[in-house]
Amino acid sequence: MSATVKTLVNQPYKYGFVTDIESDTIPRGLSEDVVRLISAKKNEPEFMLEFRLKAYRQWLKMTEPTWPQVKYPPINYQDIIYYSAPKQKPKKLNSLDEVDPTLLEAFEKLGISLSEQKRLSNVAVDAIFDSVSVATTFKEKLAKEGVIFCSISEALREHPELIQKYLGSVVPIADNFYAALNSAVFSDGSFVYIPKNTRCPMELSTYFRINTGDSGQFERTLIIAEEGSQVSYLEGCTAPMFDTNQLHAAVVELVALDNAEIKYSTVQNWYAGDENGKGGIYNFVTKRGLCQGVNSKISWTQVETGSAITWKYPSCVLVGDNSVGEFYSVALTNHKQQADTGTKMIHIGKNTRSTIISKGISAGKSQNSYRGLVKIGPKANGARNYSQCDSMLIGDNAQANTFPYIQVQNNTGKVEHEASTSKIGEDQLFYFSQRGISLEDAISMMISGFCKDVFNQLPMEFAVEADRLLSLKLEGSVG
Amino acid sequence: MIIENSEVILSVRDLTANVDSNQILKGVNLELKAGEIHAIMGPNGSGKSTLSKVLAGHPAYEVTGGEVIFQGQNLLEMEPQERARGGVFLAFQYPLEIPGVSNVDFLRVAYNSGRKAKGLEELDAFDFDELIQEKLDVVKMNPSFLSRSVNEGFSGGEKKRNEILQMALLEPKLAILDETDSGLDIDALKIVANGVNQLAKPDNATLMITHYQRLLSYIVPDFVHVMEGGRIISSGTKELALELEERGYEWVREEEASEVGV
Ligand SMILES: Nc1ncnc2c1ncn2[C@@H]1O[C@H](COP(=O)(O)OP(=O)(O)O)[C@@H](O)[C@H]1O
Ligand SMILES: [Mg+2]
């Protein structure tokens, strides 16, 4: 591309500020004592400590996966801070007024208003700052419907039986290196329980914020949808700009019982590092949903824009007959970002169906890989999958790869896979220019068009946000 | 139509331009006044499309000399968007396909970009719909084309009609039509020509690029220029086109040679 197609400058990452707040931080490094310390700090029941220790011992025996199409220097796991929490009175907060105003301000600055009057009227928010949940809104209103929405720490105190039953049931502690690490040291996260035949009256949302420079973030999310219930959940995240890399290794588990439906959306905007690839979040996340019940449905929608490195495969295990798994993804990489992301659809029950729509956008010198597994098990009579993986390249230095893995062990199963690669080129942009359309508008129109099938799946408030976010991220990649 | 003392819309002087450091335009001179229709003819590879892209500001073309004045402004200093908003329109020889962007959105954003530049209020989707329905008539285009992606899967002729639809909407001061006739069957050619004739007004100018005489029977030019080797080697009235049709480009070349005494 000619010089003009390179000039626009990337919009600075506007969430890169650090909040100055006193925190309770434990020394760097990981050992059995650290695991015990985290558990003790959180006053956890005994079974939880056992869970952590078992995971830690497993983790020691495991090695980091090397198959993803990403490159990074070795991570020193002894150099990470495994627990950091804003210092706050340990007692339970009675209202949001008791939350440290500096924290409220920090979230306000991120556009997440936790104050009673200003917050989005139909979205309940659990705000997580470094390792702990600082506030959850609309709790009472939700409680009226029997919906539990709180931090995992609180759930451990108030509903230990639910945690004991479901935690680790979808992602076993030794599932993979990062999941084992998370199981050992996770500090907080969100817990959702939707009772039988209840449609959750509002969107639930967790907002994650990493603040401390050298701390890792290991959050844990567990969502349980009882028979005939429905919930839509959205996760958002940002981090300050640091020159060093921070590790984010989350685990998300979803359980959908008979006729239940869970819709899980993510708008991921972690700091991605600068244009030379310095700094940024390593996002190594395990997300898995279990469609345990008949006719259940789990739908993952993700818009991945941040992180220096993304390693993430939100998956569905379709056990219940007629259950449905969906994965809608937009992954955008710019500069030197690397993403290896996709999904796994494991068909076990009869007539299970899955849909995969993946849109990868690569700009700058970035590397964007789709990796997906569709497995039709021997008993999955009549199972069907449709996959569509489209890549869009912006400029001449970006890379896109597609790695589809298909395993069919039942001859009544049907798997369809389509893929395409397109490019936003200088001539297309000139066509827009010649009609008086600015480059920003041109790119935003092309990207929105490309991502339409995925954005249509996002809750309305966030679809607009996602659209804007992508345009922002791409400013500067073409010109 | 030739109007006495009308405003000069475009004046090109000694324009030279390179692509990938090859000189393609080697000193082009041209003047268009309000109300006039000019035709540029010339064999393949003579630089006609290059001239049109240079005028529109395509970033791959480097202007190395000369000047272009558009309505009193130095066109070469303007960004392609500014040129477009200022009234320069290029109907592309090969219109681009834009998957995922609906024709109607494209048209609306283009139209509103122009309005914004003029300090006018943007039209909302409803008002725009009314406007565009009118414009569809100019090229007898089926409204179903509005909801399809820009040019995607359009036939060659449909793409050309879509270009004229955009022109009807944007009402340019200077319309450059690059081989708009190629790929059209006779019915489509008549529709497109009729559209262009409707849009030619006393206050704008049209520059038609073609290498066939055929178009000129439907859109009658006031002036005809012959381009060859990156220069305009001969200019005249519409009779020049007929002469060309009969005797070929070779004849113009010889004429020019004898004139300069080579
Ligand atoms: N991108 C390019 N790189 C090199 N040469 C080019 C490029 N574009 C056009 N040319 C050359 O410029 C000359 C004029 O091309 P063009 O303006 O398209 O001619 P016309 O429209 O009259 O057929 C041709 O010889 C063509 O090969
Ligand atoms: Mg041409």
Side-chain angles (χ1 to χ4, degrees):
Chain A
M1 292 213 167
S2 69
T4 43
V5 189
K6 289 178 189 152
T7 36
L8 278 174
V9 182
N10 223 42
Q11 188 89 3
Y13 183 72
K14 68 173 181 184
Y15 305 109
F17 61 89
V18 183
T19 304
D20 191 8
I21 190 158
E22 212 187 331
S23 55
D24 172 13
T25 300
I26 66 171
R28 285 162 206 274
L30 185 54
S31 63
E32 231 179 84
D33 288 343
V34 167
V35 173
R36 285 177 195 280
L37 181 63
I38 292 171
S39 192
K41 277 197 177 289
K42 306 182 74 67
N43 281 319
E44 288 176 349
E46 187 60 25
F47 78 84
M48 203 58 241
L49 177 62
E50 288 308 317
F51 180 98
R52 289 178 184 278
L53 288 173
K54 215 165 116 195
Y56 174 68
R57 289 171 197 144
Q58 288 280 354
W59 179 74
L60 286 177
K61 290 184 243 162
M62 299 171 86
T63 50
E64 270 176 84
T66 51
W67 46 262
Q69 192 81 359
V70 296
K71 280 199 197 83
Y72 55 95
I75 297 171
N76 181 355
Y77 289 91
Q78 294 307 334
D79 202 33
I80 293 172
I81 296 169
Y82 287 86
Y83 184 89
S84 173
K87 238 180 214 161
Q88 204 172 31
K89 284 166 239 126
K91 75 169 182 87
K92 205 175 132 191
L93 297 175
N94 292 317
S95 86
L96 285 169
D97 303 338
E98 295 176 25
V99 176
D100 186 330
T102 323
L103 280 174
L104 291 181
E105 228 168 77
F107 279 97
E108 200 83 38
K109 228 165 139 181
L110 298 167
I112 313 294
S113 181
L114 300 175
S115 72
E116 298 285 339
Q117 307 85 1
K118 279 191 271 172
R119 65 203 173 194
L120 283 170
S121 58
N122 201 33
V123 183
V125 180
D126 184 23
I128 297 196
F129 198 82
D130 280 338
S131 303
V132 298
S133 168
V134 294
T136 311
T137 64
F138 286 113
K139 263 165 102 164
E140 278 144 48
K141 188 170 171 194
L142 290 167
K144 279 200 196 105
E145 308 277 338
V147 171
I148 304 171
F149 180 39
C150 62
S151 68
I152 279 267
S153 312
E154 188 178 331
L156 268 165
R157 291 192 300 267
E158 317 266 321
H159 314 281
E161 69 299 338
L162 285 172
I163 302 283
Q164 191 161 13
K165 180 167 175 196
Y166 288 108
L167 197 76
S169 70
V170 184
V171 179
I173 50 173
D175 186 81
N176 66 69
F177 183 83
Y178 306 114
L181 179 62
N182 174 286
S183 300
V185 303
F186 76 85
S187 32
D188 217 338
S190 299
F191 176 74
V192 176
Y193 177 82
I194 316 290
K196 243 184 188 173
N197 300 323
T198 303
R199 190 195 187 109
C200 185
M202 54 179 68
E203 294 279 335
L204 303 183
S205 161
T206 299
Y207 195 89
F208 297 104
R209 173 74 178 168
I210 294 181
N211 191 57
T212 309
D214 299 322
S215 72
Q217 181 148 336
F218 306 94
E219 85 271 355
R220 188 93 192 186
T221 301
L222 176 59
I223 300 178
I224 300 151
E226 286 280 9
E227 283 171 35
S229 68
Q230 274 181 39
V231 61
S232 168
Y233 179 93
L234 185 114
E235 165 203 298
C237 44
T238 56
M241 295 190 278
F242 292 114
D243 286 349
T244 51
N245 299 103
Q246 288 122 288
L247 178 62
H248 173 248
V251 172
V252 176
E253 295 177 284
L254 313 181
V255 181
L257 301 178
D258 288 356
N259 304 302
E261 196 174 321
I262 302 175
K263 188 176 167 65
Y264 192 108
S265 316
T266 306
V267 176
Q268 190 261 103
N269 187 20
W270 294 120
Y271 178 52
D274 68 9
E275 63 201 58
N276 300 313
K278 202 169 171 52
I281 303 285
Y282 290 168
N283 196 33
F284 300 150
V285 170
T286 306
K287 290 184 165 172
R288 194 171 303 152
L290 175 63
C291 281
Q292 189 174 316
V294 296
N295 305 316
S296 57
K297 178 174 172 184
I298 289 180
S299 176
W300 297 101
T301 304
Q302 60 170 15
V303 178
E304 299 285 307
T305 67
S307 298
I309 301 179
T310 303
W311 178 96
K312 183 181 166 191
Y313 316 90
S315 306
C316 296
V317 183
L318 306 170
V319 172
D321 290 349
N322 308 314
S323 60
V324 175
E326 293 176 338
F327 175 73
Y328 298 97
S329 169
V330 167
L332 177 144
T333 53
N334 197 359
H335 302 311
K336 292 200 169 167
Q337 279 177 272
Q338 307 173 62
D340 192 300
T341 182
T343 185
K344 287 188 255 181
M345 292 291 172
I346 314 291
H347 294 255
I348 296 171
K350 294 189 185 59
N351 299 315
T352 44
R353 278 165 297 147
S354 63
T355 304
I356 298 172
I357 308 284
S358 160
K359 305 280 178 174
I361 304 163
S362 343
K365 292 182 179 161
S366 68
Q367 183 58 263
N368 199 330
S369 303
Y370 166 81
R371 190 182 300 277
L373 168 68
V374 176
K375 184 171 175 174
I376 311 259
K379 293 186 184 148
N381 289 341
R384 276 179 294 151
N385 162 267
Y386 173 74
S387 303
Q388 186 188 328
C389 302
D390 299 322
S391 307
M392 183 180 265
L393 296 169
I394 302 179
D396 295 325
N397 301 312
Q399 267 198 54
N401 307 300
T402 305
F403 303 106
Y405 303 90
I406 297 169
Q407 298 170 8
V408 180
Q409 296 163 339
N410 180 313
N411 57 18
T412 64
K414 203 171 140 204
V415 175
E416 280 175 85
H417 181 92
E418 284 177 32
S420 77
T421 302
S422 54
K423 191 168 167 176
I424 295 188
E426 188 173 71
D427 280 327
Q428 267 182 333
L429 288 173
F430 179 63
Y431 193 58
F432 280 90
S433 307
Q434 213 304 304
R435 300 301 183 244
I437 300 173
S438 68
L439 286 172
E440 286 82 355
D441 285 349
I443 291 167
S444 134
M445 287 170 84
M446 282 192 272
I447 294 293
S448 309
F450 182 68
C451 302
K452 203 160 39 194
D453 296 344
V454 175
F455 286 174
N456 285 345
Q457 300 295 327
L458 284 173
M460 239 255 287
E461 295 92 327
F462 300 103
V464 181
E465 173 69 19
D467 207 12
R468 207 184 50 83
L469 183 62
L470 288 197
S471 308
L472 255 166
K473 286 267 166 176
L474 278 176
E475 251 177 55
S477 55
V478 227
Chain B
M1 86 201 65
I2 299 171
I3 306 168
E4 288 237 4
N5 297 326
S6 75
E7 177 203 4
V8 175
I9 300 273
L10 180 78
S11 160
V12 180
R13 301 233 170 284
D14 301 322
L15 182 65
T16 54
N18 289 1
V19 186
D20 293 339
S21 29
N22 300 318
Q23 190 176 45
I24 310 286
L25 298 186
K26 299 177 176 162
V28 175
N29 289 285
L30 194 64
E31 187 172 284
L32 276 75
K33 289 187 179 155
E36 296 173 354
I37 298 178
H38 290 233
I40 296 186
M41 305 188 70
N44 265 327
S46 56
K48 305 183 298 295
S49 291
T50 303
L51 174 64
S52 70
K53 287 191 183 156
V54 167
L55 293 178
H58 193 295
Y61 297 80
E62 182 200 357
V63 174
T64 50
E67 64 168 17
V68 179
I69 306 296
F70 170 69
Q71 294 195 297
Q73 285 178 286
N74 181 352
L75 191 71
L76 299 176
E77 277 184 353
M78 293 160 73
E79 292 295 327
Q81 288 89 341
E82 291 177 78
R83 299 184 196 194
R85 293 170 196 158
V88 175
F89 180 90
L90 169 60
F92 285 73
Q93 181 172 4
Y94 304 107
L96 277 288
E97 298 191 0
I98 318 283
V101 176
S102 77
N103 218 6
V104 72
D105 284 348
F106 183 82
L107 290 162
R108 194 183 58 246
V109 175
Y111 184 73
N112 279 333
S113 301
R115 285 187 64 97
K116 218 164 34 183
K118 291 182 190 76
L120 298 170
E121 207 174 307
E122 297 181 37
L123 246 53
D124 65 25
F126 298 104
D127 290 341
F128 184 76
D129 191 59
E130 256 169 56
L131 175 69
I132 198 68
Q133 294 298 338
E134 255 169 57
K135 303 291 178 181
L136 285 170
D137 286 345
V138 177
V139 282
K140 302 201 165 41
M141 206 151 123
N142 191 311
S144 67
F145 281 94
L146 293 177
S147 50
R148 289 171 57 179
S149 291
V150 181
N151 293 328
E152 196 182 33
F154 287 25
S155 73
E158 288 162 352
K159 285 182 182 169
K160 295 299 175 73
R161 268 205 241 182
N162 203 26
E163 295 289 286
I164 305 305
L165 172 66
Q166 296 179 27
M167 175 177 157
L169 174 70
L170 300 174
E171 300 184 318
K173 276 282 164 202
L174 172 66
I176 306 165
L177 310 176
D178 192 359
E179 309 265 3
T180 296
D181 50 331
S182 66
L184 295 182
D185 60 29
I186 192 71
D187 293 334
L189 178 65
K190 280 183 187 163
I191 290 168
V192 164
N194 185 35
V196 173
N197 284 327
Q198 270 183 60
L199 296 171
K201 302 265 163 66
D203 66 344
N204 61 25
T206 308
L207 182 60
M208 278 190 294
I209 293 172
T210 180
H211 61 274
Y212 298 113
Q213 161 67 33
R214 191 176 74 146
L215 178 66
L216 306 187
S217 348
Y218 296 96
I219 306 172
V220 182
D222 301 301
F223 298 97
V224 172
H225 312 274
V226 178
M227 192 157 190
E228 166 87 271
R231 286 181 309 128
I232 288 177
I233 57 167
S234 179
S235 296
T237 54
K238 61 176 184 270
E239 282 71 31
L240 175 60
L242 292 171
E243 195 93 64
L244 264 179
E245 178 88 338
E246 241 162 70
R247 305 168 70 172
Y249 291 111
E250 204 53 35
W251 160 76
V252 195
R253 253 170 250 154
E254 281 159 21
E255 287 281 295
E256 191 206 20
S258 65
E259 256 168 49
V260 291
V262 182

Short mmCIF file of all heavy atoms in Angstrom, two decimals, chain B residues 34-69:
data_model
loop_
_atom_site.label_atom_id
_atom_site.label_comp_id
_atom_site.label_asym_id
_atom_site.label_seq_id
_atom_site.Cartn_x
_atom_site.Cartn_y
_atom_site.Cartn_z
N ALA B 34 -18.56 25.72 -18.22
CA ALA B 34 -19.91 25.34 -17.78
C ALA B 34 -20.81 25.13 -18.99
O ALA B 34 -20.77 25.90 -19.94
CB ALA B 34 -20.48 26.41 -16.86
N GLY B 35 -21.59 24.08 -18.94
CA GLY B 35 -22.53 23.78 -20.00
C GLY B 35 -21.99 22.82 -21.04
O GLY B 35 -22.75 22.23 -21.81
N GLU B 36 -20.67 22.62 -21.06
CA GLU B 36 -20.07 21.84 -22.14
C GLU B 36 -19.96 20.35 -21.85
O GLU B 36 -19.77 19.94 -20.70
CB GLU B 36 -18.66 22.37 -22.45
CG GLU B 36 -18.67 23.80 -22.96
CD GLU B 36 -17.28 24.40 -23.11
OE1 GLU B 36 -16.29 23.76 -22.70
OE2 GLU B 36 -17.20 25.52 -23.64
N ILE B 37 -20.06 19.59 -22.93
CA ILE B 37 -19.76 18.17 -22.87
C ILE B 37 -18.54 17.91 -23.74
O ILE B 37 -18.54 18.25 -24.92
CB ILE B 37 -20.96 17.32 -23.37
CG1 ILE B 37 -22.18 17.56 -22.47
CG2 ILE B 37 -20.59 15.84 -23.40
CD1 ILE B 37 -23.43 16.81 -22.91
N HIS B 38 -17.50 17.35 -23.14
CA HIS B 38 -16.30 17.02 -23.90
C HIS B 38 -16.15 15.51 -23.95
O HIS B 38 -16.50 14.82 -23.01
CB HIS B 38 -15.04 17.59 -23.23
CG HIS B 38 -14.96 19.09 -23.30
ND1 HIS B 38 -13.84 19.73 -23.77
CD2 HIS B 38 -15.84 20.06 -22.96
CE1 HIS B 38 -14.04 21.04 -23.72
NE2 HIS B 38 -15.25 21.26 -23.22
N ALA B 39 -15.60 15.04 -25.06
CA ALA B 39 -15.29 13.62 -25.15
C ALA B 39 -13.79 13.46 -25.34
O ALA B 39 -13.18 14.23 -26.09
CB ALA B 39 -16.02 12.99 -26.32
N ILE B 40 -13.22 12.51 -24.61
CA ILE B 40 -11.82 12.16 -24.88
C ILE B 40 -11.82 10.77 -25.47
O ILE B 40 -12.38 9.84 -24.88
CB ILE B 40 -10.95 12.18 -23.61
CG1 ILE B 40 -10.88 13.59 -23.05
CG2 ILE B 40 -9.54 11.67 -23.92
CD1 ILE B 40 -9.93 13.75 -21.88
N MET B 41 -11.23 10.64 -26.65
CA MET B 41 -11.13 9.34 -27.28
C MET B 41 -9.67 8.98 -27.37
O MET B 41 -8.79 9.81 -27.17
CB MET B 41 -11.76 9.38 -28.67
CG MET B 41 -13.18 9.90 -28.61
SD MET B 41 -14.04 9.76 -30.17
CE MET B 41 -14.24 8.00 -30.31
N GLY B 42 -9.42 7.73 -27.69
CA GLY B 42 -8.02 7.34 -27.80
C GLY B 42 -7.90 5.86 -27.59
O GLY B 42 -8.73 5.26 -26.91
N PRO B 43 -6.87 5.28 -28.15
CA PRO B 43 -6.71 3.82 -28.04
C PRO B 43 -6.45 3.38 -26.61
O PRO B 43 -6.11 4.20 -25.75
CB PRO B 43 -5.49 3.54 -28.93
CG PRO B 43 -4.76 4.83 -29.05
CD PRO B 43 -5.78 5.90 -28.92
N ASN B 44 -6.60 2.10 -26.38
CA ASN B 44 -6.30 1.51 -25.08
C ASN B 44 -4.89 1.83 -24.66
O ASN B 44 -3.97 1.77 -25.48
CB ASN B 44 -6.42 -0.02 -25.19
CG ASN B 44 -7.79 -0.47 -24.76
OD1 ASN B 44 -8.39 0.14 -23.87
ND2 ASN B 44 -8.29 -1.51 -25.39
N GLY B 45 -4.73 2.17 -23.40
CA GLY B 45 -3.39 2.41 -22.88
C GLY B 45 -2.87 3.81 -23.15
O GLY B 45 -1.72 4.11 -22.85
N SER B 46 -3.72 4.69 -23.71
CA SER B 46 -3.22 6.02 -24.04
C SER B 46 -3.18 6.95 -22.82
O SER B 46 -2.60 8.03 -22.89
CB SER B 46 -4.05 6.63 -25.16
OG SER B 46 -5.41 6.65 -24.80
N GLY B 47 -3.78 6.53 -21.70
CA GLY B 47 -3.70 7.34 -20.48
C GLY B 47 -5.01 7.99 -20.07
O GLY B 47 -5.04 8.84 -19.19
N LYS B 48 -6.11 7.57 -20.68
CA LYS B 48 -7.40 8.20 -20.39
C LYS B 48 -7.85 7.96 -18.94
O LYS B 48 -8.21 8.88 -18.22
CB LYS B 48 -8.48 7.66 -21.36
CG LYS B 48 -8.11 7.83 -22.83
CD LYS B 48 -9.22 7.35 -23.75
CE LYS B 48 -9.57 5.87 -23.64
NZ LYS B 48 -8.47 4.96 -24.05
N SER B 49 -7.78 6.68 -18.53
CA SER B 49 -8.18 6.38 -17.14
C SER B 49 -7.22 7.03 -16.15
O SER B 49 -7.62 7.49 -15.08
CB SER B 49 -8.19 4.87 -16.89
OG SER B 49 -9.24 4.29 -17.62
N THR B 50 -5.95 7.07 -16.52
CA THR B 50 -4.96 7.72 -15.66
C THR B 50 -5.33 9.18 -15.44
O THR B 50 -5.34 9.67 -14.30
CB THR B 50 -3.56 7.59 -16.27
OG1 THR B 50 -3.27 6.21 -16.47
CG2 THR B 50 -2.50 8.21 -15.37
N LEU B 51 -5.69 9.85 -16.52
CA LEU B 51 -6.09 11.25 -16.38
C LEU B 51 -7.29 11.37 -15.43
O LEU B 51 -7.30 12.23 -14.54
CB LEU B 51 -6.43 11.83 -17.76
CG LEU B 51 -7.01 13.25 -17.76
CD1 LEU B 51 -5.99 14.25 -17.21
CD2 LEU B 51 -7.47 13.69 -19.16
N SER B 52 -8.26 10.50 -15.60
CA SER B 52 -9.45 10.62 -14.76
C SER B 52 -9.10 10.37 -13.29
O SER B 52 -9.59 11.06 -12.40
CB SER B 52 -10.55 9.66 -15.25
OG SER B 52 -10.19 8.33 -14.99
N LYS B 53 -8.22 9.42 -13.03
CA LYS B 53 -7.86 9.14 -11.63
C LYS B 53 -7.00 10.25 -11.04
O LYS B 53 -7.12 10.57 -9.85
CB LYS B 53 -7.15 7.80 -11.53
CG LYS B 53 -8.17 6.67 -11.72
CD LYS B 53 -7.62 5.34 -11.38
CE LYS B 53 -8.65 4.26 -11.65
NZ LYS B 53 -8.02 2.96 -11.87
N VAL B 54 -6.14 10.81 -11.85
CA VAL B 54 -5.34 11.94 -11.35
C VAL B 54 -6.25 13.10 -10.99
O VAL B 54 -6.10 13.73 -9.95
CB VAL B 54 -4.27 12.36 -12.40
CG1 VAL B 54 -3.65 13.70 -12.03
CG2 VAL B 54 -3.20 11.28 -12.51
N LEU B 55 -7.24 13.35 -11.83
CA LEU B 55 -8.16 14.45 -11.54
C LEU B 55 -8.94 14.18 -10.25
O LEU B 55 -9.21 15.08 -9.47
CB LEU B 55 -9.13 14.67 -12.70
CG LEU B 55 -8.49 15.20 -14.00
CD1 LEU B 55 -9.53 15.33 -15.11
CD2 LEU B 55 -7.80 16.55 -13.75
N ALA B 56 -9.27 12.90 -10.02
CA ALA B 56 -10.03 12.57 -8.81
C ALA B 56 -9.14 12.41 -7.58
O ALA B 56 -9.62 12.34 -6.46
CB ALA B 56 -10.83 11.28 -9.05
N GLY B 57 -7.81 12.35 -7.80
CA GLY B 57 -6.89 12.31 -6.66
C GLY B 57 -6.53 10.93 -6.16
O GLY B 57 -6.26 10.74 -4.97
N HIS B 58 -6.51 9.93 -7.03
CA HIS B 58 -6.13 8.58 -6.58
C HIS B 58 -4.71 8.60 -6.03
O HIS B 58 -3.78 9.10 -6.68
CB HIS B 58 -6.22 7.60 -7.76
CG HIS B 58 -6.15 6.16 -7.33
ND1 HIS B 58 -5.02 5.62 -6.75
CD2 HIS B 58 -7.07 5.16 -7.38
CE1 HIS B 58 -5.24 4.34 -6.47
NE2 HIS B 58 -6.48 4.04 -6.84
N PRO B 59 -4.50 8.05 -4.80
CA PRO B 59 -3.20 8.16 -4.15
C PRO B 59 -2.05 7.43 -4.87
O PRO B 59 -0.89 7.73 -4.61
CB PRO B 59 -3.44 7.53 -2.76
CG PRO B 59 -4.67 6.71 -2.90
CD PRO B 59 -5.50 7.36 -3.96
N ALA B 60 -2.36 6.49 -5.76
CA ALA B 60 -1.28 5.75 -6.41
C ALA B 60 -0.64 6.54 -7.55
O ALA B 60 0.39 6.14 -8.08
CB ALA B 60 -1.81 4.42 -6.94
N TYR B 61 -1.25 7.65 -7.92
CA TYR B 61 -0.71 8.43 -9.05
C TYR B 61 0.00 9.67 -8.53
O TYR B 61 -0.53 10.42 -7.73
CB TYR B 61 -1.85 8.83 -10.00
CG TYR B 61 -2.51 7.63 -10.64
CD1 TYR B 61 -3.47 6.89 -9.94
CD2 TYR B 61 -2.15 7.21 -11.91
CE1 TYR B 61 -4.06 5.76 -10.50
CE2 TYR B 61 -2.73 6.09 -12.48
CZ TYR B 61 -3.69 5.37 -11.77
OH TYR B 61 -4.25 4.26 -12.33
N GLU B 62 1.20 9.86 -9.01
CA GLU B 62 2.00 10.97 -8.54
C GLU B 62 2.04 12.05 -9.62
O GLU B 62 2.49 11.81 -10.74
CB GLU B 62 3.41 10.46 -8.24
CG GLU B 62 4.34 11.51 -7.69
CD GLU B 62 5.81 11.11 -7.87
OE1 GLU B 62 6.08 9.99 -8.36
OE2 GLU B 62 6.67 11.93 -7.54
N VAL B 63 1.57 13.23 -9.26
CA VAL B 63 1.61 14.34 -10.22
C VAL B 63 3.00 14.93 -10.19
O VAL B 63 3.52 15.26 -9.12
CB VAL B 63 0.56 15.42 -9.85
CG1 VAL B 63 0.71 16.63 -10.75
CG2 VAL B 63 -0.85 14.83 -9.96
N THR B 64 3.63 15.03 -11.36
CA THR B 64 5.02 15.51 -11.38
C THR B 64 5.15 16.91 -11.96
O THR B 64 6.20 17.53 -11.86
CB THR B 64 5.91 14.54 -12.19
OG1 THR B 64 5.26 14.30 -13.46
CG2 THR B 64 6.09 13.22 -11.47
N GLY B 65 4.07 17.41 -12.57
CA GLY B 65 4.17 18.76 -13.11
C GLY B 65 2.83 19.25 -13.64
O GLY B 65 1.88 18.47 -13.77
N GLY B 66 2.76 20.56 -13.90
CA GLY B 66 1.54 21.14 -14.44
C GLY B 66 0.58 21.58 -13.36
O GLY B 66 0.89 21.48 -12.17
N GLU B 67 -0.57 22.07 -13.79
CA GLU B 67 -1.55 22.50 -12.79
C GLU B 67 -2.96 22.16 -13.24
O GLU B 67 -3.23 21.95 -14.43
CB GLU B 67 -1.42 24.00 -12.52
CG GLU B 67 -1.75 24.86 -13.74
CD GLU B 67 -1.91 26.34 -13.38
OE1 GLU B 67 -1.47 26.77 -12.30
OE2 GLU B 67 -2.51 27.06 -14.20
N VAL B 68 -3.83 22.06 -12.24
CA VAL B 68 -5.25 21.79 -12.52
C VAL B 68 -6.07 22.76 -11.68
O VAL B 68 -5.95 22.78 -10.45
CB VAL B 68 -5.64 20.35 -12.14
CG1 VAL B 68 -7.12 20.12 -12.44
CG2 VAL B 68 -4.79 19.34 -12.91
N ILE B 69 -6.81 23.60 -12.36
CA ILE B 69 -7.67 24.54 -11.63
C ILE B 69 -9.12 24.11 -11.81
O ILE B 69 -9.58 23.92 -12.94
CB ILE B 69 -7.49 25.99 -12.17
CG1 ILE B 69 -6.01 26.40 -12.14
CG2 ILE B 69 -8.35 26.97 -11.37
CD1 ILE B 69 -5.38 26.47 -10.77
#
